[in-house]
Amino acid sequence: MKMFRNALFAAALVMGLASAAQAADLVRKVDSFDLLADQSGSMMMQAPDLKMSKAAAAKQVLAAVNEAIPNLGYKASMHTIAPAGQVVAYGDWDRSAMNDGIASLETDGVIFGRMTPMGDGFAANSGDYAVMARPTAIVLASDGANNTGIDPVAEAAAIYQAQPGVCFHVISFADTAEGQAVLDKIAALNTCSVSVKGADLLADQNALNQFVADVFYTTGAAPQEEALVLHGVNFAFDSYALDAKAQGILDEAAVVLKEKNVHVTLEGWTDSIGTDAYNKKLSQNRANAVKAYLVEQGVPASKLTAVGMGKSFKYDNATEEGRYLNRRVEILFN
């Protein structure tokens, strides 16, 4: 039986490596996304070089982006900042429902006396981001103006720290150096970010298509990472100890990994109970435990990278079984 399971693991590993070289159809880069529209007073002002308000331009661009996204089974939502709020509830992405949400955005609202708490908007919406499937793209359409409340750059950095797998992408409608600087700093927080000018996307369909591709999908022509769930390598609640069943599976994994010339990332995950910060540390400990055990079995440490991913929503956290399945480690072929 052990030999049979080992053959299955070897086959899964080979299939994972082979899939990285196949030229397949479009492959999504993210599992979920949120369209985040700035509705502040400054966005209601006329856009330089555009015969409309910045909010109207952003509305057009978001609608065009929504139309260009391929139907690859995303989850999605839509929020606003200044004021902060939910426009489209999180769930299976529906192009028509998202279009309705975009159509509801304000474009000619009050300008003067309407403050712009961008950072507060990030903070207000961050709880909704916590339940989104990872990786998550947050597509921010804004002019970067911020004149009250929390520093938006610091709040975006805090979201990155607390919620691994989230990435901010910027569509800029900035008409001041200060506003553009804020957006540039947000984009610079993480190498995953894509930053573009909204006016460019309005003027050039190719530029818009490229932005959508950069954020949402890739083609099978390039090598793709493939994750293999180590079924049975799961953990008790609030624990990173490997039980006998997990060790047996990892013994088999070690045999295969020693024979293959590959580098893998070990991703540790937790269920949704507890704080983001605590679960980030716990997930890292779980990944570290698997790496340490594989190294003990003779797998070179140079072949292994351990990464704690934090909370998982791959399985249903409302059930005991789902929470157990979320407390896992996956192998990602690099």
Side-chain angles (χ1 to χ4, degrees):
M1 178 63 71
K2 181 176 180 180
M3 182 178 297
F4 177 67
R5 290 201 308 269
N6 192 43
L8 287 178
F9 185 88
L13 177 58
V14 171
M15 288 175 64
L17 294 173
S19 68
Q22 292 175 350
D25 293 334
L26 300 183
V27 178
R28 68 188 187 208
K29 289 182 177 179
V30 296
D31 287 345
S32 66
F33 67 90
D34 182 71
L35 301 184
L36 183 57
D38 187 343
Q39 292 274 270
S40 62
S42 64
M43 287 291 289
M44 303 301 157
M45 299 176 68
Q46 188 80 1
D49 304 323
L50 297 175
K51 296 180 179 179
M52 66 185 86
S53 68
K54 288 178 279 183
K59 186 173 179 175
Q60 286 193 17
V61 167
L62 290 176
V65 167
N66 188 53
E67 286 299 323
I69 297 171
N71 192 358
L72 300 177
Y74 300 101
K75 300 283 188 177
S77 62
M78 183 176 180
H79 289 78
T80 59
I81 53 175
Q86 182 186 85
V87 180
V88 177
Y90 178 66
D92 294 336
W93 172 59
D94 181 276
R95 195 187 310 275
S96 177
M98 190 65 75
N99 276 334
D100 290 343
I102 295 168
S104 73
L105 292 175
E106 195 174 15
T107 60
D108 58 356
V110 175
I111 296 175
F112 300 105
R114 186 169 175 173
M115 303 302 284
T116 309
M118 180 189 293
D120 289 31
F122 290 171
N125 293 326
S126 64
D128 288 347
Y129 298 150
V131 302
M132 297 179 73
R134 301 292 192 255
T136 300
I138 301 174
V139 180
L140 171 64
S142 173
D143 63 0
N146 183 76
N147 54 19
T148 187
I150 304 171
D151 176 8
V153 180
E155 184 56 32
I159 291 174
Y160 277 132
Q161 180 66 30
Q163 300 195 36
V166 167
C167 185
F168 282 91
H169 304 283
V170 174
I171 302 176
S172 172
F173 293 91
D175 53 358
T176 67
E178 294 80 8
Q180 187 60 52
V182 168
L183 297 176
D184 288 343
K185 289 176 182 178
I186 291 171
L189 288 173
N190 198 317
T191 56
C192 68
S193 294
V194 178
S195 182
V196 294
K197 302 284 189 183
D200 292 342
L201 302 191
L202 275 177
D204 186 349
Q205 183 65 41
N206 289 330
L208 187 138
N209 290 340
Q210 187 61 56
F211 173 75
V212 171
D214 290 341
V215 173
F216 293 97
Y217 70 90
T218 187
T219 64
Q224 301 299 310
E225 293 180 329
E226 181 74 15
L228 174 64
V229 179
L230 292 175
H231 292 291
V233 183
N234 299 86
F235 299 85
F237 177 70
D238 199 27
S239 171
Y240 54 92
L242 295 168
D243 60 19
K245 179 180 180 181
Q247 290 176 355
I249 293 169
L250 292 175
D251 288 341
E252 299 175 19
V255 172
V256 177
L257 291 173
K258 284 188 291 185
E259 295 175 351
K260 301 295 181 180
N261 183 25
V262 295
H263 180 275
V264 299
T265 298
L266 304 168
E267 292 187 341
W269 297 88
T270 73
D271 60 30
S272 62
I273 298 174
T275 67
D276 291 335
Y278 184 84
N279 279 294
K280 180 69 166 62
K281 182 177 180 181
L282 179 59
S283 67
Q284 183 66 59
N285 287 337
R286 287 172 175 167
N288 290 342
V290 171
K291 178 179 178 180
Y293 188 86
L294 290 173
V295 170
E296 288 178 3
Q297 308 316 305
V299 180
S302 59
K303 285 187 174 184
L304 308 171
T305 298
V307 179
M309 301 301 291
K311 295 180 181 180
S312 170
F313 300 87
K314 186 168 186 174
Y315 304 99
D316 186 2
N317 280 299
T319 68
E320 184 176 347
E321 179 184 9
R323 291 191 296 274
Y324 172 75
L325 292 173
N326 278 326
R327 300 193 294 267
R328 71 192 188 280
V329 168
E330 295 185 356
I331 286 183
L332 197 67
F333 305 103
N334 305 138

